[in-house]
Amino acid sequence: MNWKAVLTQYVKTIVESLYQSGLRHVVISPGSRSTPLAYVFAEHPDIQTHIAIDERSASFYALGMAKKSSHPVALLCTSGTAAANYYPAVIEAKYARVPLVVLTADRPHELREVGAPQAIDQTDLYGKHVKWSVDLPQPNDREITNTYLQKTCQKAFVVSQKAPKGPVHLNVPLPEPLIPELPLGFAKVPAYSHSNVGRLFPTDEMITEFMSLLESDKKGLMVVGELSDPQAQGRILELSQKFHLPVLADPLSQLRNPQAESKGTVIESYDTFLRFKERLEALKPDYVIKIGATPVSKPLTQFLQALGEIRYIVIDEGEHRDPIHRATDAWAVNETLLLREVLLLESKGNQNADWLKKWQTLNEKTKSLLEQKSEILPWNEGKAVQSIIRSLPSDSLLFVGNSMPIRDVDTFLHSQVQNLQVLANRGTNGIDGVVSSALGASTLHNQNYLLIGDLSFYHDLNGLLIAQMEEIDITIFVLNNNGGGIFSFLPQSEQPYHFEKLFGTPANLTFEHVVNMYNGYYQKVHNERELEEALQIVHSQGGLKVVEIMTNREENVVIHRELWNSVSQEMIDDE
Amino acid sequence: MNWKAVLTQYVKTIVESLYQSGLRHVVISPGSRSTPLAYVFAEHPDIQTHIAIDERSASFYALGMAKKSSHPVALLCTSGTAAANYYPAVIEAKYARVPLVVLTADRPHELREVGAPQAIDQTDLYGKHVKWSVDLPQPNDREITNTYLQKTCQKAFVVSQKAPKGPVHLNVPLPEPLIPELPLGFAKVPAYSHSNVGRLFPTDEMITEFMSLLESDKKGLMVVGELSDPQAQGRILELSQKFHLPVLADPLSQLRNPQAESKGTVIESYDTFLRFKERLEALKPDYVIKIGATPVSKPLTQFLQALGEIRYIVIDEGEHRDPIHRATDAWAVNETLLLREVLLLESKGNQNADWLKKWQTLNEKTKSLLEQKSEILPWNEGKAVQSIIRSLPSDSLLFVGNSMPIRDVDTFLHSQVQNLQVLANRGTNGIDGVVSSALGASTLHNQNYLLIGDLSFYHDLNGLLIAQMEEIDITIFVLNNNGGGIFSFLPQSEQPYHFEKLFGTPANLTFEHVVNMYNGYYQKVHNERELEEALQIVHSQGGLKVVEIMTNREENVVIHRELWNSVSQEMIDDE
């Protein structure tokens, strides 16, 4: 075979094998060495090709798509530091359990470590932060190479999807010339490398132990973070009703929506009422069932930490997550399957209706007081977040930035009448790549919103080009408090030394210019009335829209504390 | 000791030991976990603290400073993906041999791999791409810990400076609370951890063999890329004069300046005349001495590659760089010391004056034809680059972006009357981080310029915030050909399929808005007259100035080829 035919078969096999395994989206950053793979992806009739120039934004864009779809998305870049720009998103994908297939074009072996341009050592480039990494052979005409490529791509796909899901890395050495036979003329060929992944089924001991706990008179509590398996939601609600378990539902659990809340067991306002130390004793459970990722709320974490040596079961199909070192039982099992098996058994239930009632009452009261008290407070970030949440159309996707926005959403996302899907990058809680991640998720959804702080928005401004090039409809709410708002809640804010320089980070950024650069709609708002007006406009327009919400860092802190204190006071007065 | 005292001593020891070893600059990206170290750096009277929010830009900013000064610069960031954003710059630093001390704050061991927020596995985070990586112990009051920290920081500093210079990584686990005793009140203490690094001295065999080659009648050629040791420049000129060696001097060798050129051995226009296959036979040397990094010019690489089995000596104190696999001799030695030893010996010289003369004549003719022919061509990128080079004040620093700009500079940087320092990121030739790298170098210089393509400028737009926050004087010339201009020179441009989507990358970017965002001066130019006007203005102003130079991608290719062809034709006609 001549070189062109060898090269063509090689890249076609990689792309077709990934397609057969289930790949439907690839994000490509333009470059030279990746040329043959880029061509084949572009030619493939059933793989959607997305272009993003900045590899850092590109990788978070792919992450957002994969997060929204729970399905692997591929990345392709050229050799050199291009591939290193993927590192933050690869790490987020690992810890957030998002499947990615990272394809890095490489120079062939004779150009490695010899001072050749744009050549770095790309083997094991992502170290411990990918689930699997393989350096493919160069294109050649041995038939086994072809078979090996098929099976390796299939394996990469399976590994990325096995719990815990995560990133895999294929390094692809490509000698010149880099032009395959064109056009490729993909025929629909029969599948030869399907992939499919099972889930961990519970042992008999797990089921028996779990049931005996649930049927006992011991007071149980469920703590539910972001779930890898969305089917778990229904089971959690069913189980909690049957056995009177309050469900402390993190905003990312997707259980804070009207339908789930109507079951009566979902508790959403714990981030507020668990701040009141005087009432924690009455809320102490006999056992805790923790499912999913670590919740956002710090008061919840502190509450759980202070429980002492009670039974604490962490259910996790991946490595179990227990940053407070409380787990008495670590059960490596799929949560949906475990709950399903337990619910299939006959049970008399338990006598803990009062226990659940106590949590429900507290929750209802806190929610209504939060609304009521917030109403009379002056303009602040929390109030803006409340207005935004209220205004979102049903079935909106709300992507939330880290640091303050996700905490505000944790405080104020409750009692809404519409259904919302809430996503965030909580694998590593970075402020990087959030714009692009939100855009990735938006590519697969209709009504899209991002709530983000000014520093995080700045960090990924380059992502806005993707919104323009891919013509994505999204509204971005930027909470601009001129700097790292969260630091004002931390102890260093009380130190007089260097605070503004090191932590306040007053960059005096404002974003009208850059939004204009990417042809977006822009509106700056300074108060509730202006925000309401802007909300009217953005909900009725397509394309990129940015609403920049100006707040005051110091005031936000004071008002947040005031709100929690007044809610607390009123609840004590009432008793 | 109480915790605050332990923590304070721990971070103070790290910072003070680095200072004693020679550290004078640190670039800090704001974050929570790094708080105690940030405080100590800010308090230190003799370490300059720079703040940059986006860690990717921050790390290239540090790289630029370290590149300009040949001296280690420190980086500090918080835990999590913040540290991963350093990866592209760390890799560039490794291959470009730039010393960096990377400090990553980490969560303490009990928060690692347990699902804690903003905690990732940071041990060996940069894999093979740092020279040394160490995970420090937690702060404690054992006296040996203090001593260990001193010696470890000292070692890190030494390792980063030993040839080949490069990045080292200190991972610093810090438990809460994170506030040290303030103010720290640094007293000037006596040095206890100086560092100093020797250079590889030649063996007797090297000196003898080198001398016998030089004194023979064999025709020798020196190829000089970017030099790690600037002292080598004078020795190279002296040796080349004494032994009639043409010096093919890459723009980054710093030998293309009036003073070096006055010695008569520097050849700068080889990138043009080595394109003319018909004259290469007469230029074939009997041996080649290659010093420094791989040169930019592709015609030079092809010329060297085609030389066949001649003596080819690569002198390199680090791993020797020889992407064309031509080295017959790989000499691990410091080039300055080797040349110095050879020059100390008595020598009768050789009889090769004609050989040198041939190269000189060709060089002079090519340079004058390039000027002459370019004059009558229509407006294009190359012409803009010529105008810019001509206009720069003496002793300017010109940072050059990868892809087309560095190639244009290679073609047109010659015959200028003023002294220029030319820098570029040629470790891995990435288009990422170039703005920030240029700003870093500019921090330590007075007259600063950056020449960069539109995609590379876009890639590091976030760097512009550094220019604003650090109040740096710089003029940025953006060559905007609406996309990846270099691809138009590659074979894929002749394929009708997907070219614009995959390689042309027409993002239709223009940068007036974003320059306004960072309060810079902006001017767009479309022709020579407008460029000349803009040059008048920017040379007389401080702060951030951006001149966006609009050119046409296809025309640039055609005109470049036309220029080379007409120079070639005229030279043939003349013979």
Side-chain angles (χ1 to χ4, degrees), chain A residues 54-56 85 87 95 110 113-114 123 125 128 322 325 458-459 462, chain B residues 54-56 85 87 95 110 113-114 123 125 128 322 325 458-459 462:
Chain A
D54 179 343
E55 293 83 6
R56 183 172 67 178
N85 279 278
Y87 205 21
Y95 288 96
E110 69 274 16
E113 302 302 278
V114 291
T123 58
L125 185 66
K128 293 173 278 192
D322 178 31
H325 306 293
Y458 157 76
H459 211 291
N462 270 4
Chain B
D54 178 343
E55 293 84 5
R56 182 172 66 176
N85 279 279
Y87 205 21
Y95 288 96
E110 69 274 17
E113 303 301 279
V114 291
T123 59
L125 186 66
K128 293 172 278 190
D322 177 31
H325 305 294
Y458 157 76
H459 211 291
N462 270 4

mmCIF file of all heavy atoms in Angstrom, chain A residues 54-56 85 87 95 110 113-114 123 125 128 322 325 458-459 462, chain B residues 54-56 85 87 95 110 113-114 123 125 128 322 325 458-459 462:
data_model
loop_
_atom_site.group_PDB
_atom_site.id
_atom_site.type_symbol
_atom_site.label_atom_id
_atom_site.label_comp_id
_atom_site.label_asym_id
_atom_site.label_seq_id
_atom_site.Cartn_x
_atom_site.Cartn_y
_atom_site.Cartn_z
ATOM 1 N N ASP A 54 -8.939 28.084 21.123
ATOM 2 C CA ASP A 54 -8.173 28.005 22.367
ATOM 3 C C ASP A 54 -8.420 26.625 22.985
ATOM 4 O O ASP A 54 -9.540 26.309 23.399
ATOM 5 C CB ASP A 54 -8.632 29.129 23.301
ATOM 6 C CG ASP A 54 -7.902 29.111 24.639
ATOM 7 O OD1 ASP A 54 -7.291 28.095 25.008
ATOM 8 O OD2 ASP A 54 -7.971 30.143 25.344
ATOM 9 N N GLU A 55 -7.381 25.824 23.085
ATOM 10 C CA GLU A 55 -7.558 24.444 23.539
ATOM 11 C C GLU A 55 -8.106 24.373 24.968
ATOM 12 O O GLU A 55 -8.802 23.411 25.319
ATOM 13 C CB GLU A 55 -6.249 23.657 23.451
ATOM 14 C CG GLU A 55 -5.743 23.420 22.038
ATOM 15 C CD GLU A 55 -4.971 24.595 21.472
ATOM 16 O OE1 GLU A 55 -4.718 25.570 22.225
ATOM 17 O OE2 GLU A 55 -4.613 24.563 20.284
ATOM 18 N N ARG A 56 -7.774 25.348 25.800
ATOM 19 C CA ARG A 56 -8.312 25.302 27.156
ATOM 20 C C ARG A 56 -9.829 25.429 27.121
ATOM 21 O O ARG A 56 -10.552 24.645 27.752
ATOM 22 C CB ARG A 56 -7.703 26.424 28.019
ATOM 23 C CG ARG A 56 -8.190 26.361 29.455
ATOM 24 C CD ARG A 56 -7.440 27.335 30.368
ATOM 25 N NE ARG A 56 -7.704 28.726 30.052
ATOM 26 C CZ ARG A 56 -7.198 29.758 30.740
ATOM 27 N NH1 ARG A 56 -6.399 29.537 31.767
ATOM 28 N NH2 ARG A 56 -7.461 30.997 30.390
ATOM 29 N N ASN A 85 -2.824 22.439 27.302
ATOM 30 C CA ASN A 85 -3.935 23.337 27.625
ATOM 31 C C ASN A 85 -5.205 22.581 28.016
ATOM 32 O O ASN A 85 -6.110 23.138 28.601
ATOM 33 C CB ASN A 85 -4.232 24.274 26.457
ATOM 34 C CG ASN A 85 -3.289 25.462 26.403
ATOM 35 O OD1 ASN A 85 -3.487 26.435 27.107
ATOM 36 N ND2 ASN A 85 -2.237 25.364 25.591
ATOM 37 N N TYR A 87 -5.218 20.234 30.156
ATOM 38 C CA TYR A 87 -5.006 19.616 31.478
ATOM 39 C C TYR A 87 -6.064 20.015 32.523
ATOM 40 O O TYR A 87 -6.601 19.143 33.211
ATOM 41 C CB TYR A 87 -3.590 19.935 31.955
ATOM 42 C CG TYR A 87 -2.970 18.971 32.945
ATOM 43 C CD1 TYR A 87 -3.420 17.660 33.085
ATOM 44 C CD2 TYR A 87 -1.897 19.361 33.738
ATOM 45 C CE1 TYR A 87 -2.819 16.787 33.984
ATOM 46 C CE2 TYR A 87 -1.287 18.490 34.640
ATOM 47 C CZ TYR A 87 -1.759 17.205 34.762
ATOM 48 O OH TYR A 87 -1.159 16.342 35.658
ATOM 49 N N TYR A 95 -12.317 14.211 38.257
ATOM 50 C CA TYR A 95 -12.936 14.303 39.579
ATOM 51 C C TYR A 95 -14.450 14.486 39.509
ATOM 52 O O TYR A 95 -15.155 14.126 40.441
ATOM 53 C CB TYR A 95 -12.267 15.403 40.415
ATOM 54 C CG TYR A 95 -10.876 15.002 40.850
ATOM 55 C CD1 TYR A 95 -9.746 15.390 40.144
ATOM 56 C CD2 TYR A 95 -10.702 14.164 41.953
ATOM 57 C CE1 TYR A 95 -8.474 14.992 40.528
ATOM 58 C CE2 TYR A 95 -9.433 13.755 42.342
ATOM 59 C CZ TYR A 95 -8.322 14.172 41.635
ATOM 60 O OH TYR A 95 -7.071 13.757 42.016
ATOM 61 N N GLU A 110 10.864 9.631 15.558
ATOM 62 C CA GLU A 110 12.165 10.211 15.195
ATOM 63 C C GLU A 110 12.223 11.710 15.472
ATOM 64 O O GLU A 110 13.298 12.314 15.415
ATOM 65 C CB GLU A 110 12.489 9.923 13.715
ATOM 66 C CG GLU A 110 11.623 10.648 12.689
ATOM 67 C CD GLU A 110 10.321 9.918 12.374
ATOM 68 O OE1 GLU A 110 9.949 9.009 13.161
ATOM 69 O OE2 GLU A 110 9.669 10.253 11.370
ATOM 70 N N GLU A 113 12.038 14.290 21.437
ATOM 71 C CA GLU A 113 13.201 14.525 22.311
ATOM 72 C C GLU A 113 14.492 14.717 21.540
ATOM 73 O O GLU A 113 15.556 14.258 21.949
ATOM 74 C CB GLU A 113 13.339 13.395 23.343
ATOM 75 C CG GLU A 113 12.108 13.217 24.221
ATOM 76 C CD GLU A 113 11.725 14.472 24.998
ATOM 77 O OE1 GLU A 113 12.298 14.748 26.058
ATOM 78 O OE2 GLU A 113 10.832 15.201 24.493
ATOM 79 N N VAL A 114 14.402 15.359 20.382
ATOM 80 C CA VAL A 114 15.611 15.648 19.602
ATOM 81 C C VAL A 114 15.669 17.130 19.247
ATOM 82 O O VAL A 114 16.396 17.532 18.346
ATOM 83 C CB VAL A 114 15.666 14.804 18.302
ATOM 84 C CG1 VAL A 114 15.897 13.339 18.633
ATOM 85 C CG2 VAL A 114 14.405 14.992 17.457
ATOM 86 N N THR A 123 3.761 11.226 25.901
ATOM 87 C CA THR A 123 3.323 9.971 26.515
ATOM 88 C C THR A 123 3.039 10.233 27.985
ATOM 89 O O THR A 123 3.795 10.917 28.668
ATOM 90 C CB THR A 123 4.401 8.873 26.372
ATOM 91 O OG1 THR A 123 5.605 9.330 26.982
ATOM 92 C CG2 THR A 123 4.684 8.584 24.905
ATOM 93 N N LEU A 125 1.048 12.242 29.240
ATOM 94 C CA LEU A 125 1.045 13.697 29.437
ATOM 95 C C LEU A 125 0.158 14.110 30.617
ATOM 96 O O LEU A 125 0.436 15.088 31.295
ATOM 97 C CB LEU A 125 0.549 14.394 28.160
ATOM 98 C CG LEU A 125 0.605 15.915 28.152
ATOM 99 C CD1 LEU A 125 2.058 16.398 28.185
ATOM 100 C CD2 LEU A 125 -0.088 16.485 26.917
ATOM 101 N N LYS A 128 -1.555 10.947 36.367
ATOM 102 C CA LYS A 128 -2.543 10.162 37.095
ATOM 103 C C LYS A 128 -3.967 10.616 36.822
ATOM 104 O O LYS A 128 -4.909 10.056 37.373
ATOM 105 C CB LYS A 128 -2.248 10.283 38.593
ATOM 106 C CG LYS A 128 -0.944 9.624 38.990
ATOM 107 C CD LYS A 128 -0.586 9.904 40.442
ATOM 108 C CE LYS A 128 0.088 11.254 40.594
ATOM 109 N NZ LYS A 128 0.703 11.476 41.910
ATOM 110 N N ASP A 322 -15.524 11.037 50.926
ATOM 111 C CA ASP A 322 -15.824 11.244 52.344
ATOM 112 C C ASP A 322 -14.790 12.173 52.952
ATOM 113 O O ASP A 322 -13.969 11.756 53.776
ATOM 114 C CB ASP A 322 -15.823 9.874 53.054
ATOM 115 C CG ASP A 322 -16.079 10.009 54.544
ATOM 116 O OD1 ASP A 322 -16.813 10.950 54.955
ATOM 117 O OD2 ASP A 322 -15.524 9.194 55.318
ATOM 118 N N HIS A 325 -14.170 12.202 56.748
ATOM 119 C CA HIS A 325 -13.708 10.977 57.417
ATOM 120 C C HIS A 325 -14.731 10.444 58.416
ATOM 121 O O HIS A 325 -14.413 10.181 59.579
ATOM 122 C CB HIS A 325 -12.364 11.225 58.126
ATOM 123 C CG HIS A 325 -11.317 11.781 57.202
ATOM 124 N ND1 HIS A 325 -10.775 11.064 56.166
ATOM 125 C CD2 HIS A 325 -10.755 13.011 57.123
ATOM 126 C CE1 HIS A 325 -9.907 11.805 55.518
ATOM 127 N NE2 HIS A 325 -9.880 13.003 56.064
ATOM 128 N N TYR A 458 -13.949 36.392 33.662
ATOM 129 C CA TYR A 458 -12.702 36.855 33.050
ATOM 130 C C TYR A 458 -11.813 35.678 32.679
ATOM 131 O O TYR A 458 -11.228 35.634 31.596
ATOM 132 C CB TYR A 458 -11.961 37.798 34.013
ATOM 133 C CG TYR A 458 -10.471 37.880 33.736
ATOM 134 C CD1 TYR A 458 -9.987 38.628 32.660
ATOM 135 C CD2 TYR A 458 -9.543 37.180 34.515
ATOM 136 C CE1 TYR A 458 -8.626 38.672 32.379
ATOM 137 C CE2 TYR A 458 -8.193 37.219 34.237
ATOM 138 C CZ TYR A 458 -7.732 37.965 33.176
ATOM 139 O OH TYR A 458 -6.395 38.001 32.893
ATOM 140 N N HIS A 459 -11.702 34.703 33.576
ATOM 141 C CA HIS A 459 -10.772 33.585 33.385
ATOM 142 C C HIS A 459 -11.040 32.856 32.068
ATOM 143 O O HIS A 459 -10.114 32.371 31.419
ATOM 144 C CB HIS A 459 -10.897 32.619 34.561
ATOM 145 C CG HIS A 459 -9.626 31.895 34.922
ATOM 146 N ND1 HIS A 459 -9.069 30.940 34.108
ATOM 147 C CD2 HIS A 459 -8.810 31.995 36.002
ATOM 148 C CE1 HIS A 459 -7.951 30.475 34.683
ATOM 149 N NE2 HIS A 459 -7.769 31.111 35.822
ATOM 150 N N ASN A 462 -12.234 33.814 26.673
ATOM 151 C CA ASN A 462 -12.002 33.233 25.346
ATOM 152 C C ASN A 462 -13.119 32.280 24.931
ATOM 153 O O ASN A 462 -13.324 32.048 23.740
ATOM 154 C CB ASN A 462 -10.654 32.503 25.320
ATOM 155 C CG ASN A 462 -9.521 33.430 24.907
ATOM 156 O OD1 ASN A 462 -9.735 34.625 24.711
ATOM 157 N ND2 ASN A 462 -8.327 32.886 24.767
ATOM 158 N N ASP B 54 -5.358 34.986 35.959
ATOM 159 C CA ASP B 54 -5.444 33.762 35.163
ATOM 160 C C ASP B 54 -4.099 33.043 35.263
ATOM 161 O O ASP B 54 -3.072 33.543 34.801
ATOM 162 C CB ASP B 54 -5.769 34.141 33.711
ATOM 163 C CG ASP B 54 -5.844 32.937 32.784
ATOM 164 O OD1 ASP B 54 -5.346 31.852 33.137
ATOM 165 O OD2 ASP B 54 -6.399 33.093 31.684
ATOM 166 N N GLU B 55 -4.112 31.861 35.832
ATOM 167 C CA GLU B 55 -2.846 31.152 36.096
ATOM 168 C C GLU B 55 -2.089 30.831 34.807
ATOM 169 O O GLU B 55 -0.866 30.747 34.825
ATOM 170 C CB GLU B 55 -3.098 29.870 36.890
ATOM 171 C CG GLU B 55 -3.588 30.096 38.309
ATOM 172 C CD GLU B 55 -5.093 30.311 38.393
ATOM 173 O OE1 GLU B 55 -5.770 30.179 37.343
ATOM 174 O OE2 GLU B 55 -5.591 30.606 39.492
ATOM 175 N N ARG B 56 -2.822 30.618 33.724
ATOM 176 C CA ARG B 56 -2.108 30.326 32.478
ATOM 177 C C ARG B 56 -1.281 31.536 32.065
ATOM 178 O O ARG B 56 -0.085 31.411 31.753
ATOM 179 C CB ARG B 56 -3.091 29.933 31.362
ATOM 180 C CG ARG B 56 -2.384 29.568 30.069
ATOM 181 C CD ARG B 56 -3.330 28.991 29.027
ATOM 182 N NE ARG B 56 -4.319 29.954 28.553
ATOM 183 C CZ ARG B 56 -5.201 29.710 27.594
ATOM 184 N NH1 ARG B 56 -5.243 28.518 27.016
ATOM 185 N NH2 ARG B 56 -6.076 30.626 27.216
ATOM 186 N N ASN B 85 -3.285 24.860 35.166
ATOM 187 C CA ASN B 85 -3.202 25.929 34.174
ATOM 188 C C ASN B 85 -1.749 26.363 33.905
ATOM 189 O O ASN B 85 -1.471 27.012 32.911
ATOM 190 C CB ASN B 85 -4.031 27.143 34.615
ATOM 191 C CG ASN B 85 -5.503 26.985 34.307
ATOM 192 O OD1 ASN B 85 -5.934 27.212 33.191
ATOM 193 N ND2 ASN B 85 -6.276 26.551 35.294
ATOM 194 N N TYR B 87 0.564 24.277 33.265
ATOM 195 C CA TYR B 87 1.227 23.194 32.528
ATOM 196 C C TYR B 87 1.836 23.641 31.192
ATOM 197 O O TYR B 87 3.006 23.337 30.915
ATOM 198 C CB TYR B 87 0.235 22.039 32.336
ATOM 199 C CG TYR B 87 0.847 20.667 32.139
ATOM 200 C CD1 TYR B 87 2.143 20.357 32.544
ATOM 201 C CD2 TYR B 87 0.099 19.636 31.565
ATOM 202 C CE1 TYR B 87 2.673 19.080 32.375
ATOM 203 C CE2 TYR B 87 0.628 18.357 31.392
ATOM 204 C CZ TYR B 87 1.904 18.084 31.799
ATOM 205 O OH TYR B 87 2.426 16.827 31.623
ATOM 206 N N TYR B 95 11.483 22.923 27.662
ATOM 207 C CA TYR B 95 12.131 22.777 26.356
ATOM 208 C C TYR B 95 12.905 24.031 25.949
ATOM 209 O O TYR B 95 13.844 23.954 25.171
ATOM 210 C CB TYR B 95 11.106 22.361 25.298
ATOM 211 C CG TYR B 95 10.677 20.929 25.484
ATOM 212 C CD1 TYR B 95 9.515 20.605 26.182
ATOM 213 C CD2 TYR B 95 11.469 19.886 25.013
ATOM 214 C CE1 TYR B 95 9.151 19.286 26.385
ATOM 215 C CE2 TYR B 95 11.115 18.557 25.212
ATOM 216 C CZ TYR B 95 9.944 18.261 25.893
ATOM 217 O OH TYR B 95 9.591 16.954 26.100
ATOM 218 N N GLU B 110 -5.084 14.733 54.719
ATOM 219 C CA GLU B 110 -6.396 14.188 55.069
ATOM 220 C C GLU B 110 -7.500 14.662 54.113
ATOM 221 O O GLU B 110 -8.611 14.152 54.152
ATOM 222 C CB GLU B 110 -6.757 14.534 56.527
ATOM 223 C CG GLU B 110 -7.040 16.016 56.794
ATOM 224 C CD GLU B 110 -5.769 16.820 57.098
ATOM 225 O OE1 GLU B 110 -4.661 16.318 56.795
ATOM 226 O OE2 GLU B 110 -5.888 17.942 57.622
ATOM 227 N N GLU B 113 -7.784 13.042 47.825
ATOM 228 C CA GLU B 113 -8.448 11.848 47.290
ATOM 229 C C GLU B 113 -9.576 11.333 48.175
ATOM 230 O O GLU B 113 -9.782 10.127 48.304
ATOM 231 C CB GLU B 113 -7.432 10.733 47.022
ATOM 232 C CG GLU B 113 -6.298 11.143 46.072
ATOM 233 C CD GLU B 113 -6.785 11.596 44.701
ATOM 234 O OE1 GLU B 113 -7.069 10.760 43.849
ATOM 235 O OE2 GLU B 113 -6.895 12.835 44.518
ATOM 236 N N VAL B 114 -10.305 12.261 48.797
ATOM 237 C CA VAL B 114 -11.460 11.854 49.608
ATOM 238 C C VAL B 114 -12.699 12.641 49.188
ATOM 239 O O VAL B 114 -13.678 12.707 49.917
ATOM 240 C CB VAL B 114 -11.202 12.054 51.124
ATOM 241 C CG1 VAL B 114 -10.151 11.079 51.615
ATOM 242 C CG2 VAL B 114 -10.784 13.494 51.439
ATOM 243 N N THR B 123 0.725 15.663 43.522
ATOM 244 C CA THR B 123 2.084 15.126 43.525
ATOM 245 C C THR B 123 2.447 14.729 42.096
ATOM 246 O O THR B 123 1.647 14.123 41.395
ATOM 247 C CB THR B 123 2.204 13.901 44.458
ATOM 248 O OG1 THR B 123 1.288 12.899 44.021
ATOM 249 C CG2 THR B 123 1.879 14.280 45.889
ATOM 250 N N LEU B 125 2.471 16.495 39.556
ATOM 251 C CA LEU B 125 1.444 17.045 38.671
ATOM 252 C C LEU B 125 1.976 17.312 37.272
ATOM 253 O O LEU B 125 1.245 17.190 36.290
ATOM 254 C CB LEU B 125 0.908 18.348 39.272
ATOM 255 C CG LEU B 125 -0.267 18.991 38.548
ATOM 256 C CD1 LEU B 125 -1.507 18.111 38.643
ATOM 257 C CD2 LEU B 125 -0.594 20.366 39.126
ATOM 258 N N LYS B 128 6.869 14.348 33.600
ATOM 259 C CA LYS B 128 8.246 14.383 33.117
ATOM 260 C C LYS B 128 8.692 15.787 32.760
ATOM 261 O O LYS B 128 9.821 15.981 32.334
ATOM 262 C CB LYS B 128 8.350 13.482 31.890
ATOM 263 C CG LYS B 128 8.161 12.015 32.213
ATOM 264 C CD LYS B 128 8.074 11.155 30.960
ATOM 265 C CE LYS B 128 6.677 11.184 30.379
ATOM 266 N NZ LYS B 128 6.482 10.176 29.309
ATOM 267 N N ASP B 322 19.053 17.656 17.882
ATOM 268 C CA ASP B 322 19.449 17.288 16.533
ATOM 269 C C ASP B 322 18.273 16.625 15.823
ATOM 270 O O ASP B 322 18.289 15.419 15.548
ATOM 271 C CB ASP B 322 20.654 16.326 16.607
ATOM 272 C CG ASP B 322 21.066 15.842 15.222
ATOM 273 O OD1 ASP B 322 20.898 16.599 14.244
ATOM 274 O OD2 ASP B 322 21.538 14.692 15.129
ATOM 275 N N HIS B 325 18.837 14.289 12.797
ATOM 276 C CA HIS B 325 19.640 13.061 12.951
ATOM 277 C C HIS B 325 20.910 13.110 12.120
ATOM 278 O O HIS B 325 21.210 12.186 11.362
ATOM 279 C CB HIS B 325 18.798 11.837 12.575
ATOM 280 C CG HIS B 325 17.518 11.746 13.341
ATOM 281 N ND1 HIS B 325 17.471 11.528 14.691
ATOM 282 C CD2 HIS B 325 16.228 11.913 12.950
ATOM 283 C CE1 HIS B 325 16.220 11.527 15.104
ATOM 284 N NE2 HIS B 325 15.446 11.767 14.072
ATOM 285 N N TYR B 458 -5.307 36.282 20.167
ATOM 286 C CA TYR B 458 -6.582 35.849 20.767
ATOM 287 C C TYR B 458 -6.343 34.846 21.893
ATOM 288 O O TYR B 458 -6.952 34.924 22.960
ATOM 289 C CB TYR B 458 -7.485 35.240 19.692
ATOM 290 C CG TYR B 458 -8.528 34.305 20.261
ATOM 291 C CD1 TYR B 458 -9.656 34.799 20.914
ATOM 292 C CD2 TYR B 458 -8.365 32.916 20.193
ATOM 293 C CE1 TYR B 458 -10.600 33.935 21.462
ATOM 294 C CE2 TYR B 458 -9.292 32.052 20.739
ATOM 295 C CZ TYR B 458 -10.409 32.557 21.379
ATOM 296 O OH TYR B 458 -11.322 31.708 21.931
ATOM 297 N N HIS B 459 -5.444 33.875 21.638
ATOM 298 C CA HIS B 459 -5.228 32.772 22.584
ATOM 299 C C HIS B 459 -4.860 33.301 23.973
ATOM 300 O O HIS B 459 -5.227 32.715 24.985
ATOM 301 C CB HIS B 459 -4.114 31.875 22.043
ATOM 302 C CG HIS B 459 -4.250 30.427 22.427
ATOM 303 N ND1 HIS B 459 -4.082 29.980 23.712
ATOM 304 C CD2 HIS B 459 -4.545 29.321 21.689
ATOM 305 C CE1 HIS B 459 -4.270 28.660 23.747
ATOM 306 N NE2 HIS B 459 -4.549 28.249 22.534
ATOM 307 N N ASN B 462 -6.203 37.267 27.685
ATOM 308 C CA ASN B 462 -6.252 37.499 29.132
ATOM 309 C C ASN B 462 -4.965 38.119 29.663
ATOM 310 O O ASN B 462 -4.967 38.749 30.716
ATOM 311 C CB ASN B 462 -6.533 36.179 29.866
ATOM 312 C CG ASN B 462 -8.029 35.943 30.038
ATOM 313 O OD1 ASN B 462 -8.838 36.720 29.547
ATOM 314 N ND2 ASN B 462 -8.394 34.884 30.737
#
